[in-house]
Amino acid sequence: FLAIGIRYARDPNIRRGVRVGPKPRNYVDIYIPSGAGEEGAPPVPVVVAVMGGAWVIGHRAWSAALAARLKEAGVMVVAGDYR
């Protein structure tokens, strides 16, 4: 898990803690595949990741391993906090 944490902290293609609303847990992390958004680049698929247990609590960092794999496969991932 340490490698996942280091990658999460250092990867310049992860936009961490993007505010999406006024509440304390209204943040998302956005995992952007290499080359996405550059001029002339084709559109990429997007996955919205919601991790946690029983819809009671979830933290966006819990999606780090899944999101990193999808990002490497060319998929943008938006991972959000809730509750």
Side-chain angles (χ1 to χ4, degrees):
F1 292 110
L2 184 58
I4 295 168
I6 291 170
R7 186 183 328 171
Y8 175 80
R10 293 185 176 174
D11 190 330
N13 287 342
I14 301 173
R15 305 296 187 266
R16 290 171 288 286
V18 177
R19 181 166 278 291
V20 293
K23 305 266 183 175
R25 298 290 304 263
N26 290 160
Y27 289 96
V28 296
D29 289 342
I30 304 171
Y31 296 75
I32 304 167
S34 295
E38 293 179 4
E39 189 171 332
V44 298
V46 177
V47 169
V48 177
V50 181
M51 297 291 196
W55 295 104
V56 176
I57 189 169
H59 193 275
R60 62 191 183 273
W62 296 349
S63 301
L66 171 66
R69 297 281 305 268
L70 289 172
K71 182 175 75 69
E72 290 169 5
V75 177
M76 182 179 294
V77 179
V78 179
D81 285 340
Y82 64 94
R83 301 238 174 140

